[in-house]
């Protein structure tokens, strides 16, 4: 035999080498296919996890908008008193909300938070916007949340517009509309996933989000996962997310080592080396898979929300993370293998109902429930459930994610009580200011009775009228629900009647005509405007008609876009513009000061009487501003 091998040593070695080489190649090819499947599965699982996280992020914002809408509907619109504060708080706390605005049933934007930077949106009629009109009307007709495609806004940036229709008193009232950009939320989801390039397109095919290096991994050209992102209870259509591995993925999962092992195995032609290579490669694949599982478990374990896996009978099967331990009080070893400990007898029927919904619909989204901690105290939680593994009824498991919202519930109740107390306090402040001003007017009236000088009596009367101009604003604020603005026409008519009664002696025929559009003004503009009207009318009665028994005064108050136009006109003897601009008399000085306070532009015409026209911008801020 030895001679045989000696004689045919080269041939036998060659044949053995060929045999081993073929065996190595066959084993290597099979292993490469397994590695490819492992990488592909890893990409698919990552794409699915990212898709679910994106859906959760967007759905959470939609639910926030829905809750704001529900508060308006439940209160039949009374919640509008708190709308601006609540909307502002949402925008401040969630960077994905660029703004939240109220569009009334006439398709005109009436409110927006934050107001600063979005002033141009107030009063915008979206029925004149072709890209908005049809979608908004469809929302009104179908009573469903409208989700526009990615578009540029009047305010400047690009975003999605979400319209939530509001109905109460049996009619459509308008929509709560939010501009949203999910870039910051999506970036948080993608942290630690730099090995992948992600693109998201809206239902129009417009790319509105991308993350990671876009250069594809050359060794994994077919690993592109396309998933739809479905948004419940909206007409957003299907968004499409594309996920594929990039060059960072290729570097982290390089197959260069496997090719090197193949070369070494073929060169040595030793079965041990080939077996070692195969085992080492298999070990590498298993290690990569184990490492991926460890990352997922570490993510679950470090999550601030309680996460656990249960079967269809409610028994905790796989894990019970630290957040669940801290939130509910039971340790992992106390929970796994037994029925969920935080569900007492009184909630078992509720659990069965929720499990039926989960099995039927495949998931539960943002369900608010009340359960019990280990110490017996109640806990308010927000529950999300989705299927985890298994298709049969025996091994099917569900992933439950719970969030402690006990403090949020308590804060909401405290906030409602605080708002009511502040309303009562503000009403009392306006009432007391009005009463104190009335006392001052009464004291002046007492002082006036002891003054024989008619001229001094007239000065005291004018002072009373100026005080009344301020007092009237606070009286209207006390008698309205707004506390921050008044209807100027109602106030102006009362002011005119008071001034007329002071100067009307029965011997003069001075008529006052007026046209006041129904417009609300905040207190910081109503007071100076009222004082200005008082000075103008008083000056006309005292100086314009002092040599005649008949005269006519005309006053108008109109909206001109975002500005207010006020026209004051009499047919008296006129008033020189130069005298107006340089006079140091109290009345003229007051008029100039009040014009400056309103930031108004004015013109004066003194031909055939006196005509004073001025414009100022109506401010949307109320009594607490520093206007």
């Amino acid at each position: 035999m030895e001679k045989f091998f000696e004689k045919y040593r080269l041939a036998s070695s060659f044949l053995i080498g060929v045999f081993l080489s073929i065996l190595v190649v066959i084993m290597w090819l099979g292993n490469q296919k397994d590695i490819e499947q492992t990488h592909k599965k890893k990409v698919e699982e990552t794409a699915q996890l990212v898709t679910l996280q994106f859906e959760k992020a967007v759905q959470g914002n939609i639910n926030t908008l829905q809750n704001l809408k529900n508060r308006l509907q439940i209160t039949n619109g009374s919640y509008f008193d708190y709308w601006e504060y609540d909307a502002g708080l949402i925008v401040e706390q969630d960077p994905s909300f660029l703004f939240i605005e109220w569009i009334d049933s006439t398709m005109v934007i009436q409110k927006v938070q934050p107001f600063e930077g979005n002033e141009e949106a107030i009063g915008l009629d979206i029925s004149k916007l072709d890209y908005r009109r049809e979608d908004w009307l469809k929302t009104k007709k179908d009573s469903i949340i409208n989700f526009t495609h990615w578009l540029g806004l009047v305010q400047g940036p690009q975003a999605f517009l979400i319209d939530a229709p509001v109905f109460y008193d049996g009619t459509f009232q308008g929509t709560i509309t939010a501009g949203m950009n999910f870039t910051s939320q999506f970036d948080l989801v993608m942290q630690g996933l730099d090995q992948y390039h992600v693109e998201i397109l809206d239902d129009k095919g417009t790319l509105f989000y991308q993350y990671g290096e876009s250069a594809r991994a050359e060794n994994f050209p077919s690993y592109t996962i396309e998933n739809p992102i479905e948004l419940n209870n909206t007409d957003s259509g299907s968004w499409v997310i594309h996920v594929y591995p990039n060059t960072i993925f290729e570097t982290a999962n390089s197959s260069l080592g496997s090719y090197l092992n193949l070369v070494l195995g073929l060169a040595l032609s030793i079965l041990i080396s080939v077996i070692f290579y195969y085992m080492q490669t298999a070990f590498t694949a298993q290690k990569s898979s184990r490492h991926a599982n460890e990352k997922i478990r570490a993510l679950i374990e470090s999550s601030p929300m309680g996460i656990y896996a249960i079967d269809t009978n409610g028994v905790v099967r796989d894990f019970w993370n630290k957040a669940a331990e801290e939130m509910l009080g039971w340790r992992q070893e106390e929970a796994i293998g037994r029925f969920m400990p935080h569900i007492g007898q009184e909630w078992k029927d509720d659990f069965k109902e929720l499990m039926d919904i989960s099995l039927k619909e495949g998931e539960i989204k943002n369900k608010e429930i009340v359960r019990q901690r280990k110490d017996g105290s109640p806990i308010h939680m927000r529950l999300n459930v989705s299927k985890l593994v298994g298709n049969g009824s025996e091994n099917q498991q569900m992933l439950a994610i719970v969030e402690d919202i006990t403090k949020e519930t308590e804060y909401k109740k405290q906030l409602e009580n605080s708002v009511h107390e502040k309303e009562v306090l503000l009403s009392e402040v306006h009432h007391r200011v009005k009463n104190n001003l009335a006392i001052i007017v009464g004291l002046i009236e007492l002082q006036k009775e002891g003054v024989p000088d008619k001229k001094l009596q007239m000065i005291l009367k004018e002072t009373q009228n100026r005080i009344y101009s301020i007092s009237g604003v606070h009286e209207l604020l006390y008698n309205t629900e707004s506390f921050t603005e008044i209807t100027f026409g109602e106030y102006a008519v009362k002011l005119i009647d008071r001034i007329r009664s002071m100067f009307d002696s029965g011997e003069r025929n001075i008529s006052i005509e007026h046209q006041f559009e129904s417009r609300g003004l905040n207190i910081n503009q109503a007071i100076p405007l009222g004082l200005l009207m008082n000075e103008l009318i008083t000056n006309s009665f005292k100086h314009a008609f002092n040599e005649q028994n008949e005269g006519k005064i005309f006053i108008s108050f109109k909206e001109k876009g975002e500005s207010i136009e006020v026209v004051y006109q009499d047919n008296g003897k006129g008033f020189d513009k130069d005298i107006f601009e340089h006079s140091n008399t109290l009345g003229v000085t007051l008029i100039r000061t009040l014009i400056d306070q309103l930031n108004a532009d004015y013109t004066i015409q003194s031909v055939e009487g006196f005509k004073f026209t001025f414009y100022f911008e109506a401010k949307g801020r109320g009594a607490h501003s520093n206007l």
Side-chain angles (χ1 to χ4, degrees):
M1 182 66 67
E2 292 178 357
K3 291 182 180 180
F4 177 81
F5 280 107
E6 287 180 1
K7 185 177 181 179
Y8 298 103
R9 180 174 54 190
L10 183 61
S12 59
S13 299
F14 175 77
L15 290 175
I16 292 173
V18 171
F19 172 77
L20 294 177
S21 296
I22 293 173
L23 181 62
V24 169
V25 170
I26 292 173
M27 295 176 68
W28 182 82
L29 290 174
N31 189 58
Q32 284 296 102
K33 186 175 182 181
D34 291 340
I35 293 175
E36 182 179 356
Q37 291 298 323
T38 300
H39 290 324
K40 189 170 184 179
K41 185 176 181 180
K42 181 179 178 181
V43 175
E44 290 175 349
E45 289 176 349
T46 302
Q48 184 64 24
L49 179 62
V50 170
T51 301
L52 291 175
Q53 291 296 324
F54 285 176
E55 285 181 348
K56 178 183 176 182
V58 178
Q59 198 68 49
N61 288 350
I62 294 175
N63 291 339
T64 298
L65 201 63
Q66 183 77 22
N67 290 338
L68 187 58
K69 161 194 168 178
N70 290 341
R71 289 194 284 274
L72 285 176
Q73 294 184 156
I74 291 173
T75 61
N76 287 330
S78 297
Y79 199 77
F80 266 123
D81 292 344
Y82 323 114
W83 186 93
E84 293 183 355
Y85 177 82
D86 210 349
L89 194 62
I90 292 172
V91 173
E92 180 180 345
Q93 293 178 346
D94 193 339
S96 60
F97 282 86
L98 301 181
F99 61 85
I100 300 177
E101 58 190 16
W102 169 251
I103 304 176
D104 64 18
S105 58
T106 65
M107 302 180 73
V108 175
I109 300 174
Q110 299 292 349
K111 298 183 177 182
V112 63
Q113 282 292 330
F115 177 78
E116 185 175 355
N118 295 303
E119 297 89 345
E120 295 181 2
I122 298 298
L124 179 65
D125 186 353
I126 67 171
S127 66
K128 299 179 181 178
L129 305 178
D130 294 337
Y131 66 91
R132 285 283 288 135
R133 182 175 55 253
E134 297 301 325
D135 288 343
W136 195 91
L137 291 175
K138 187 173 184 296
T139 298
K140 174 182 178 181
K141 178 181 178 183
D142 298 340
S143 302
I144 191 171
I145 293 178
N146 172 49
F147 215 116
T148 70
H149 59 279
W150 185 252
L151 47 76
L153 307 178
V154 172
Q155 294 92 325
Q158 286 192 308
F160 291 99
L161 291 178
I162 297 91
D163 301 306
V166 177
F167 291 83
Y168 56 81
D169 295 334
T171 60
F172 172 75
Q173 303 293 332
T175 65
I176 297 176
T177 298
M180 295 188 189
N181 186 323
F182 306 103
T183 300
S184 59
Q185 285 185 303
F186 289 175
D187 284 345
L188 287 176
V189 173
M190 291 303 300
Q191 285 184 359
L193 297 176
D194 294 334
Q195 298 181 10
Y196 302 90
H197 179 73
V198 175
E199 297 179 350
I200 308 180
L201 289 77
D202 65 10
D203 57 325
K204 300 289 187 180
T206 302
L207 175 67
F208 69 90
Y209 176 79
Q210 60 180 344
Y211 180 91
E213 184 176 331
S214 61
R216 291 178 178 269
E218 294 181 1
N219 293 333
F220 310 101
S222 62
Y223 290 2
T224 299
I225 306 301
E226 179 177 307
N227 286 334
I229 296 180
E230 301 291 345
L231 303 177
N232 298 331
N233 301 321
T234 72
D235 64 347
S236 65
S238 293
W239 291 357
V240 178
I241 176 173
H242 295 132
V243 181
Y244 61 81
N246 56 25
T247 54
I248 300 176
F249 181 95
E250 188 172 43
T251 302
N253 300 274
S254 175
S255 59
L256 182 61
S258 65
Y259 283 102
L260 181 60
N261 287 333
L262 175 62
V263 172
L264 291 174
L266 293 174
L268 295 175
S269 299
I270 299 175
L271 183 58
I272 297 176
S273 299
V274 175
I275 295 174
F276 176 77
Y277 162 75
Y278 180 77
M279 293 180 62
Q280 184 65 24
T281 306
F283 175 76
T284 301
Q286 291 174 3
K287 183 180 179 181
S288 177
S289 178
R290 183 171 62 254
H291 187 57
N293 289 334
E294 289 174 354
K295 279 188 175 180
I296 293 174
R297 285 188 173 272
L299 178 65
I300 292 173
E301 197 63 26
S302 63
S303 172
M305 292 185 287
I307 302 177
Y308 50 87
I310 59 173
D311 61 19
T312 55
N313 295 318
V315 177
V316 182
R317 289 299 183 189
D318 193 0
F319 43 78
W320 178 276
N321 71 346
K322 290 183 179 179
E325 291 182 354
E326 296 173 356
M327 187 182 303
L328 299 172
W330 287 274
R331 298 191 305 274
Q332 187 179 61
E333 54 268 25
E334 294 177 309
I336 291 181
R338 58 174 287 194
F339 184 78
M340 290 180 290
H342 56 288
I343 297 182
Q345 187 64 36
E346 65 272 27
W347 292 307
K348 285 191 175 181
D349 291 338
D350 184 44
F351 160 73
K352 291 179 181 179
E353 182 179 347
L354 292 175
M355 181 57 71
D356 290 340
I357 294 173
S358 179
L359 292 173
K360 181 179 179 180
E361 300 182 2
E363 62 181 3
I364 294 175
K365 293 288 188 181
N366 297 316
K367 176 68 176 179
E368 294 188 5
I369 59 175
V370 179
R371 294 294 184 259
Q372 182 175 303
R373 296 186 177 96
K374 187 177 181 179
D375 61 7
S377 61
I379 178 173
H380 294 258
M381 299 189 299
R382 184 176 289 115
L383 173 68
N384 288 272
V385 179
S386 61
K387 292 181 180 179
L388 184 61
V389 294
N391 295 319
S393 59
E394 295 182 358
N395 63 348
Q396 184 167 296
Q397 293 187 21
M398 314 297 289
L399 181 69
I401 302 175
V402 293
E403 179 183 0
D404 185 357
I405 59 172
T406 303
K407 290 185 178 180
E408 178 182 330
T409 303
E410 295 174 353
Y411 174 73
K412 181 179 178 182
K413 186 176 180 180
Q414 293 172 0
L415 184 63
E416 291 174 352
N417 293 336
S418 176
V419 169
H420 177 70
E421 292 173 358
K422 288 179 180 179
E423 286 180 350
V424 174
L425 178 60
L426 189 58
S427 176
E428 183 63 21
V429 167
H430 285 302
H431 182 59
R432 294 199 176 192
V433 169
K434 186 263 293 185
N435 286 347
N436 289 338
L437 291 175
I439 292 173
I440 294 172
V441 170
L443 292 173
I444 295 175
E445 183 66 27
L446 291 174
Q447 184 69 43
K448 187 175 62 175
E449 291 179 359
V451 175
D453 189 335
K454 296 296 183 179
K455 185 176 181 180
L456 184 55
Q457 286 185 358
M458 180 58 67
I459 292 174
L460 291 174
K461 276 188 177 182
E462 292 176 7
T463 302
Q464 286 179 309
N465 275 347
R466 290 175 182 134
I467 296 173
Y468 174 78
S469 298
I470 301 173
S471 172
V473 172
H474 288 281
E475 181 178 8
L476 285 178
L477 287 172
Y478 172 70
N479 292 320
T480 62
E481 297 180 356
S482 171
F483 303 121
T484 58
E485 66 176 28
I486 66 168
T487 302
F488 186 75
E490 178 184 355
Y491 162 69
V493 169
K494 293 181 179 180
L495 183 63
I496 291 172
D497 291 341
R498 182 177 181 87
I499 298 172
R500 188 203 303 271
S501 65
M502 183 181 77
F503 288 100
D504 192 358
S505 62
E507 300 176 356
R508 308 171 70 189
N509 183 19
I510 308 298
S511 64
I512 302 179
E513 296 181 5
H514 51 75
Q515 294 179 359
F516 298 129
E517 292 187 358
S518 179
R519 170 74 193 216
L521 285 182
N522 70 63
I523 183 174
N524 293 320
Q525 291 184 310
I527 289 177
L529 186 57
L531 287 170
L532 187 57
M533 291 292 100
N534 179 77
E535 295 303 318
L536 291 171
I537 297 172
T538 299
N539 283 345
S540 291
F541 270 99
K542 289 176 61 178
H543 305 294
F545 311 117
N546 56 353
E547 296 180 358
Q548 59 190 77
N549 293 326
E550 292 186 359
K552 182 177 180 181
I553 298 173
F554 173 76
I555 308 171
S556 72
F557 179 90
K558 296 180 179 179
E559 295 184 42
K560 297 286 187 177
E562 295 298 323
S563 299
I564 302 297
E565 179 195 64
V566 180
V567 177
Y568 181 87
Q569 186 174 4
D570 65 43
N571 62 350
K573 65 180 182 179
F575 192 77
D576 192 287
K577 181 178 181 181
D578 291 336
I579 296 177
F580 175 83
E581 293 180 347
H582 298 95
S583 175
N584 292 323
T585 62
L586 177 60
V588 175
T589 301
L590 273 175
I591 292 173
R592 290 201 305 265
T593 301
L594 294 168
I595 285 291
D596 289 340
Q597 188 173 350
L598 288 169
N599 292 324
D601 296 324
Y602 68 89
T603 60
I604 295 177
Q605 298 179 19
S606 57
V607 178
E608 296 182 358
F610 172 73
K611 183 177 182 181
F612 186 56
T613 305
F614 58 94
Y615 303 83
F616 64 93
E617 183 179 354
K619 302 293 184 181
R621 299 170 66 188
H624 304 289
S625 68
N626 293 320
L627 292 174

